[in-house]
Amino acid sequence: MFCRSNVLLLLFSLMAATGALAQVGQSPYTVRGIGNINSMATARNMGMGGVGIGNTHPLFISIQNPAMLGYNAYYTTALAGFSVESRRLATTDTQDRLSSGGFDYLAVAFPLLRNKMALNIGLSPYSTVSYNLQATEPVQGLPNSNATVLYQGSGGLTQAYAATGINIYKGLTIGGRVSYVFGNITNEVSTTMLGDTVAATTYTAYYLNRTSFSDFMFTGGIGYRKDLNTERQTYIMGGISYELEASLNAKRFYSAQRLQGAGNSPIYSDTIANNYPGKMLLPAAIGAGVSFGRLWHYMVGADVRLQNWEQYQNFEQGNNEGMGNSYRVALGGEWTPDYFSRNYFSRITYRTGVQAEKTPFRINGEQINEFGINFGVTFPVGASGVHTSFLLGQRGKTENDLIRERFFRINLGVTLNERWFERYRYD
């Protein structure tokens, strides 16, 4: 059994390590909006395609729907997850390869009312922006010169949250989550004028746009579980989550520079805006899930999540950057041969799933699709577990001057369970 000091030491070590890691999800499509949106799926959920809105497990909590916490009010649970990714980008005539890694979630949950109500506090990325694009074009009116334009973006939003779920009546649960969303997104554009001779002087126009965000978001959820056969421990479960529309406070810093020569010596610099106030509107989202299973043996489930990104408004209110309404569908399941066997390999849980998504990114008049196949395994350690999952996926295509991304992602998660805040009796 893990002692409490080891649990706390692991959590603080993981939290400290996150500062040295880049976020996962480098993609040229994150030039739009606030980038890739995190689903809050744990490593266990990812092994099933991200299924988690309408299912949970007695030992491994799901943080996607706060109402599911009402079924996990026994153990004090600490969980953390990381992932690494390799992504291959291709157009009709070029290819590139990217790799990244970073933290996915860090959370603690503990019972408030045993077997009835639980509280979950945690930290996870809400979105990720990471892109690097380059284009070279001839300069109109200067036939012997070219301009190289470099677009770079980084940052994203993080949410620190507190959530609770309560079992109110015969398997019916409700829950809520309050998130403090914060972070900044930096966009840089540099345009370099190149002459046709070695001696020609190069000039670069450099623009930096950094926007900081902070405000609160609210999510509600409902869940229901019905036991079908008490002896065989079969059940059906469902859940719905709803993330309210949020208007985030924002401040923008905007500067411009003109650079000269190979050393990029500044010959002009100006701060156009500093802490200029504004707002960003994030659209509401709704998700639903259903699952069927036999406790400690197997579970199959499906999720769907919709978000109205056409209502999104960036810092310049009224501009939604051409974003489109998105949806995500996931189907998956898990199987444990014999959880109570003395044979360790019979206690390992195996998972698989698929996921399909219409992302909010609309490029060249076409909305970008994504598809993935998932596999996962949980290695039990007492009442705790170590989770691994693998995702093979593709986003976009090469037709219509788009970029095709093929990626392989590995998720690693740890769940530590202990019974805290209990009084023991001794005879």
Side-chain angles (χ1 to χ4, degrees), residues 37 126 217-220 240-246 282-288 304-309 326:
I37 305 300
Y126 183 84
M217 296 180 60
F218 303 92
T219 303
I240 297 174
S241 67
Y242 186 78
E243 183 179 289
L244 275 66
E245 179 181 277
L282 294 181
I286 186 169
V304 61
R305 188 177 189 273
L306 312 172
Q307 193 160 11
N308 187 13
W309 280 99
S326 67

XYZ file of all heavy atoms in Angstrom, residues 37 126 217-220 240-246 282-288 304-309 326:
212
model
N -8.456 21.783 -28.338
C -9.214 21.748 -27.092
C -8.987 20.412 -26.397
O -9.125 19.350 -27.002
C -10.721 21.960 -27.349
C -10.941 23.265 -28.119
C -11.487 21.983 -26.030
C -10.451 24.508 -27.425
N -6.507 23.464 -20.941
C -7.803 23.623 -21.599
C -7.616 23.685 -23.118
O -8.429 23.143 -23.869
C -8.502 24.891 -21.102
C -9.885 25.077 -21.698
C -10.988 24.445 -21.130
C -10.085 25.862 -22.826
C -12.253 24.584 -21.683
C -11.342 26.011 -23.388
C -12.420 25.374 -22.808
O -13.681 25.504 -23.367
N -15.143 29.529 -15.502
C -16.058 28.767 -16.334
C -16.823 27.792 -15.439
O -16.328 27.380 -14.386
C -15.312 27.988 -17.424
C -14.590 28.835 -18.421
S -13.748 27.819 -19.676
C -15.141 26.948 -20.371
N -18.020 27.401 -15.876
C -18.868 26.520 -15.080
C -19.376 25.370 -15.938
O -19.787 25.559 -17.095
C -20.045 27.306 -14.495
C -19.638 28.481 -13.658
C -19.499 29.749 -14.222
C -19.356 28.329 -12.308
C -19.099 30.834 -13.461
C -18.966 29.406 -11.534
C -18.836 30.667 -12.109
N -19.353 24.165 -15.352
C -19.835 22.957 -16.019
C -20.743 22.192 -15.073
O -20.407 22.007 -13.886
C -18.659 22.056 -16.440
O -17.775 22.780 -17.280
C -19.156 20.814 -17.174
N -21.875 21.754 -15.575
C -22.798 20.941 -14.793
C -22.938 19.559 -15.414
O -22.651 19.352 -16.596
N -24.742 13.144 -18.828
C -24.778 14.337 -19.666
C -23.978 15.427 -18.963
O -24.117 15.622 -17.746
C -26.224 14.823 -19.907
C -27.029 13.768 -20.667
C -26.231 16.141 -20.681
C -28.501 14.130 -20.814
N -23.151 16.137 -19.710
C -22.424 17.284 -19.164
C -22.704 18.509 -20.024
O -22.893 18.387 -21.231
C -20.918 17.007 -19.115
O -20.386 16.895 -20.421
N -22.710 19.667 -19.392
C -22.975 20.915 -20.117
C -22.025 21.990 -19.614
O -22.014 22.330 -18.426
C -24.420 21.367 -19.923
C -24.791 22.571 -20.767
C -25.078 22.427 -22.120
C -24.837 23.851 -20.215
C -25.409 23.525 -22.910
C -25.166 24.952 -20.995
C -25.448 24.774 -22.338
O -25.763 25.869 -23.112
N -21.210 22.499 -20.531
C -20.267 23.572 -20.221
C -20.869 24.896 -20.672
O -21.166 25.074 -21.857
C -18.947 23.312 -20.930
C -17.840 24.315 -20.628
C -16.553 23.972 -21.346
O -15.909 22.971 -20.964
O -16.195 24.686 -22.308
N -21.065 25.805 -19.736
C -21.716 27.066 -20.040
C -20.816 27.965 -20.893
O -19.588 27.887 -20.814
C -22.096 27.813 -18.760
C -23.427 27.447 -18.096
C -23.414 26.017 -17.567
C -23.729 28.426 -16.961
N -21.460 28.796 -21.689
C -20.738 29.826 -22.439
C -19.977 30.710 -21.457
O -20.462 31.021 -20.372
C -21.742 30.646 -23.236
C -21.154 31.770 -24.058
C -22.235 32.543 -24.793
O -22.661 32.095 -25.873
O -22.681 33.580 -24.256
N -18.765 31.105 -21.844
C -17.933 31.905 -20.931
C -17.328 33.086 -21.672
O -16.849 32.951 -22.803
C -16.825 31.044 -20.331
N -16.121 32.151 -25.308
C -16.026 30.722 -25.589
C -17.434 30.135 -25.630
O -18.230 30.367 -24.720
C -15.203 30.006 -24.509
C -13.717 30.375 -24.440
C -13.031 29.575 -23.342
C -13.045 30.114 -25.780
N -17.773 29.367 -26.658
C -19.140 28.862 -26.801
C -19.450 27.727 -25.836
O -18.546 27.048 -25.322
C -19.168 28.363 -28.255
C -17.750 27.991 -28.536
C -16.905 28.978 -27.783
N -20.726 27.514 -25.600
C -21.184 26.423 -24.747
C -20.921 25.080 -25.434
O -20.786 24.993 -26.659
C -22.670 26.580 -24.447
N -20.839 24.028 -24.619
C -20.616 22.679 -25.141
C -21.476 21.703 -24.364
O -21.691 21.856 -23.151
C -19.145 22.289 -25.033
N -21.969 20.677 -25.041
C -22.773 19.639 -24.396
C -22.236 18.277 -24.806
O -21.824 18.068 -25.950
C -24.270 19.765 -24.768
C -25.101 18.764 -23.959
C -24.498 19.605 -26.260
C -26.598 18.996 -24.065
N -22.191 17.368 -23.840
C -21.720 16.017 -24.102
C -22.658 15.003 -23.477
O -23.320 15.276 -22.468
N -22.739 13.827 -24.064
C -23.583 12.751 -23.546
C -22.873 11.428 -23.758
O -22.147 11.244 -24.746
C -24.949 12.742 -24.240
N -20.613 11.363 -27.190
C -20.673 12.379 -28.230
C -20.600 13.748 -27.553
O -21.157 13.936 -26.466
C -21.963 12.251 -29.085
C -23.205 12.428 -28.231
C -21.957 13.253 -30.230
N -19.869 14.675 -28.164
C -19.729 16.019 -27.603
C -19.854 17.041 -28.729
O -19.223 16.896 -29.781
C -18.379 16.186 -26.904
C -18.231 17.510 -26.133
C -16.898 17.562 -25.404
N -16.792 18.704 -24.497
C -16.376 19.911 -24.848
N -16.011 20.148 -26.107
N -16.291 20.889 -23.952
N -20.667 18.075 -28.515
C -20.941 19.118 -29.499
C -20.571 20.477 -28.925
O -20.800 20.747 -27.747
C -22.428 19.123 -29.883
C -23.071 17.779 -30.247
C -24.573 17.934 -30.399
C -22.465 17.233 -31.535
N -19.985 21.334 -29.774
C -19.663 22.697 -29.336
C -19.889 23.661 -30.493
O -19.428 23.441 -31.617
C -18.220 22.793 -28.841
C -17.927 24.093 -28.094
C -16.699 24.000 -27.208
O -15.925 23.043 -27.281
N -16.502 24.993 -26.340
N -20.596 24.759 -30.195
C -21.033 25.707 -31.222
C -19.966 26.783 -31.441
O -20.127 27.932 -31.029
C -22.369 26.324 -30.792
C -22.965 27.198 -31.874
O -22.523 27.173 -33.014
N -23.972 27.978 -31.521
N -18.897 26.414 -32.171
C -17.781 27.338 -32.361
C -18.109 28.478 -33.314
O -17.325 29.436 -33.422
C -16.548 26.580 -32.848
C -15.842 25.901 -31.719
C -15.934 24.582 -31.364
C -14.959 26.518 -30.779
N -15.165 24.342 -30.252
C -14.549 25.513 -29.875
C -14.473 27.805 -30.606
C -13.679 25.758 -28.817
C -13.609 28.062 -29.555
C -13.213 27.045 -28.677
N -18.290 22.139 -34.013
C -17.525 20.898 -33.948
C -18.317 19.813 -33.235
O -19.228 20.077 -32.456
C -16.199 21.127 -33.218
O -16.427 21.434 -31.849
